[in-house]
């Protein structure tokens, strides 16, 4: 029998800084997009914050950015009622969350783009979550976050970006670091301080998955020809589980996943 000369390779992980696991103040999150996925993610964040507080954590503080208003085609697939038609999506969702959970989260009825840089402290959040449906919007967000990383060092200094994207029956969630996150030394693992930006690593995927027809649907039936009824909620729940792991366990072996709802398959994206 031949002797094994090769050393066992240590698994790659990303370790979260203590400030997120035991913060003195709620962890700030900017949620960009309040549509099919964003509305589901917001509800998950509210449940997560409630649970974190019960476990002795400071919880979350969330701002939701979306300039769109509710129209009849949104009912059923997105989390809106007939009474909310004509209201801004962000306002309708945040009002409901605040009443139900007793939070003081904020709604913003504007796009999150380079104009946000007029107030860097307002534009900054420790975690940014994007639930947008165009490649252009993602690149706008990436440019803002990279600028803030280099030019804003306040309490809410940007650290992580979680992007949700989907086509009709498939999608992906990718977690990126905006700047290098200092990692502790480890004998068991290979800590990775930089998780690549989704706009850099998956440029071709983003371009190919963008829907060609972005015109508003006139009915729920038409909307369902573009996106399956449950793709948004499926992505939101698995993506929220990744964020929960980040905030509770403080160590990540996976930094995202690809989901195929038609075949009921989920493929993790490993930290490397």
């Amino acid at each position: 029998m031949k002797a094994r000369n090769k050393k066992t390779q240590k698994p790659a992980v990303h370790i979260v800084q203590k400030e997120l696991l035991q913060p003195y103040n709620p962890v700030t999150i900017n949620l960009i997009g309040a549509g099919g996925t964003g509305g589901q993610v917001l509800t998950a964040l509210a449940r997560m914050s409630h649970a974190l507080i019960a476990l002795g954590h400071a919880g979350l503080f969330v701002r939701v950015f979306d300039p769109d208003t509710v129209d009849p085609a949104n009912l059923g697939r997105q989390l809106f009622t007939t009474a909310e038609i004509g209201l801004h999506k962000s306002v309708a969702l945040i009002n409901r969350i605040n009443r139900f959970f007793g939070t003081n989260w904020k709604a913003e009825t504007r796009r999150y783009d380079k104009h946000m840089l007029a107030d860097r402290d307002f534009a900054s959040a420790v975690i940014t979550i994007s639930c947008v449906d165009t490649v252009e919007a993602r690149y706008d967000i990436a440019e803002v976050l990279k600028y803030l990383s280099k030019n804003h060092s306040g309490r809410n200094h940007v650290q992580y970006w979680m992007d949700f994207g989907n086509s009709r029956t498939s999608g992906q969630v990718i977690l990126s670091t905006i700047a290098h996150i200092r990692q502790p030394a480890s004998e068991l693992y290979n800590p990775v301080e930089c998780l690549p930006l989704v706009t850099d690593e998956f440029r071709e995927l983003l371009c190919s998955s963008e829907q060609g027809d972005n015109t508003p649907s006139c009915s729920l039936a038409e909307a369902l020809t573009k996106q399956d009824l449950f793709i948004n909620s499926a992505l939101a729940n698995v993506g929220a589980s990744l964020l929960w792991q980040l905030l509770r366990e403080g160590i990540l072996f996976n930094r995202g996943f690809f989901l195929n709802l038609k075949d009921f398959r989920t493929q993790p994206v490993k930290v490397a």
Side-chain angles (χ1 to χ4, degrees), residues 98 130 139 149 161 179 215-216:
N98 285 342
S130 55
Y139 279 104
S149 175
W161 176 20
T215 58

Side-chain angles (χ1 to χ4, degrees), residues 13 40 43 45 71 87 122-123 168 188 192 211 217-218 222 256:
V13 299
Q40 299 279 353
T43 301
L45 291 175
D71 62 51
L87 294 178
F122 182 77
R168 186 173 184 272
L188 298 177
V192 176
Q211 296 183 21
S217 301
C218 297
E222 183 181 348

Side-chain angles (χ1 to χ4, degrees), residues 85-149:
I85 293 176
L87 294 178
H88 281 92
K89 292 180 178 180
S90 58
V91 173
L93 291 174
I94 282 293
N95 284 344
R96 193 187 312 156
I97 290 294
N98 285 342
R99 287 195 300 268
F100 192 93
F101 288 93
T103 50
N104 188 32
W105 294 358
K106 304 299 181 183
E108 298 297 330
T109 58
R110 51 177 165 165
R111 284 174 54 87
Y112 188 95
D113 54 24
K114 62 182 179 181
H115 296 98
M116 297 294 302
L117 295 177
D119 187 344
R120 298 176 191 174
D121 188 63
F122 182 77
S124 296
V126 175
I127 301 171
T128 299
I129 301 176
S130 55
C131 304
V132 296
D133 54 9
T134 67
V135 174
E136 179 185 5
R138 287 184 174 86
Y139 279 104
D140 286 345
I141 294 168
E143 290 304 313
V144 172
L145 295 179
K146 286 189 285 187
Y147 180 87
L148 290 171
S149 175

Side-chain angles (χ1 to χ4, degrees), residues 24-90:
Y24 293 107
N25 299 293
V27 176
T28 54
I29 296 180
N30 281 343
L31 174 59
I32 305 170
T37 303
Q40 299 279 353
V41 171
L42 180 63
T43 301
L45 291 175
R47 294 173 58 199
M48 191 182 306
S49 182
H50 186 80
L52 286 170
I53 292 171
L55 293 168
H57 189 278
L60 310 175
F61 174 77
V62 180
R63 286 188 293 253
V64 180
F65 295 83
D66 197 314
D68 290 343
T69 56
V70 181
D71 62 51
N74 299 141
L75 307 184
R77 194 177 67 80
Q78 299 182 22
L79 299 179
F80 301 107
T81 70
T82 54
E84 294 167 330
I85 293 176
L87 294 178
H88 281 92
K89 292 180 178 180
S90 58

